[in-house]
């Protein structure tokens, strides 16, 4: 699953940058937005097996985790590519991998916590 998501994120960013001539940082943001809209619904239903449509608090938490991840991935991308002169593809792959880890952990530990998990943690 992770390899496919990293590959898709990298392809979206590259396609967006090349097709439109957007700078790589702006292409990164557009790619990230597209991926995260999809990610919310896929993670909610399949990864974390949540029922219903979700509440406002859950969506705000997911948005918060996503924004933190966006800042992290963009910072890593700029740092690797612009300052360390790493190739853009390598920079994107590494930043996407880090962002996915942050998204998964934030989603698992904070956003999509099942009520039973919350009760166990407080006992």
């Amino acid at each position: 699953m992770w390899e496919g998501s990293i590959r898709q994120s990298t392809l979206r960013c590259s396609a967006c940058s090349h097709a439109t001539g957007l700078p790589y940082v702006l292409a990164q943001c557009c790619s990230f937005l597209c991926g995260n809209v999809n990610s919310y619904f896929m993670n909610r239903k399949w990864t974390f097996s949540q029922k219903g449509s979700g509440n406002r608090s859950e969506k705000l938490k997911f948005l918060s985790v996503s924004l933190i991840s966006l800042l992290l991935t963009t910072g890593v991308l700029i740092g690797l590519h612009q300052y360390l002169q790493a190739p853009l593809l390598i920079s994107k792959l590494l930043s996407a991998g880090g962002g996915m880890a942050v998204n998964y952990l934030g989603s698992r530990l904070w956003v999509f916590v099942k009520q039973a998990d919350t009760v166990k943690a407080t006992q």
Side-chain angles (χ1 to χ4, degrees):
M1 177 182 137
W2 283 48
E3 307 86 29
S5 295
I6 292 173
R7 186 173 45 249
Q8 289 173 2
S9 175
T10 303
L11 290 174
R12 279 192 309 267
C13 180
S14 296
C16 187
S17 181
H18 291 300
T20 63
L22 289 174
Y24 71 92
V25 173
L26 188 53
Q28 160 73 1
C29 294
C30 293
S31 167
F32 195 88
L33 176 64
C34 293
N36 269 291
V37 169
N38 182 54
S39 177
Y40 174 78
F41 294 106
M42 300 293 253
N43 280 327
R44 180 165 216 300
K45 181 164 177 86
W46 286 291
T47 306
F48 300 108
S49 302
Q50 299 291 306
K51 305 292 184 206
S53 62
N55 59 37
R56 182 181 175 142
S57 174
E58 179 184 274
K59 290 172 183 164
L60 288 174
K61 286 179 181 180
F62 188 82
L63 178 63
S64 298
V65 169
S66 295
L67 289 175
I68 290 167
S69 183
L70 176 61
L71 291 173
L72 171 81
T73 58
T74 303
V76 169
L77 180 64
I78 291 169
L80 289 173
H81 184 64
Q82 189 169 333
Y83 294 107
L84 298 178
Q85 302 298 307
L88 183 57
L89 181 61
I90 299 300
S91 301
K92 178 57 186 162
L93 288 171
L94 292 173
S95 69
M100 287 180 55
V102 168
N103 272 337
Y104 177 79
L105 291 172
S107 293
R108 172 69 180 100
L109 300 174
W110 189 46
V111 179
F112 298 115
V113 178
K114 294 182 180 178
Q115 190 63 29
D117 292 342
T118 305
V119 171
K120 286 179 194 175
T122 59
Q123 293 179 348

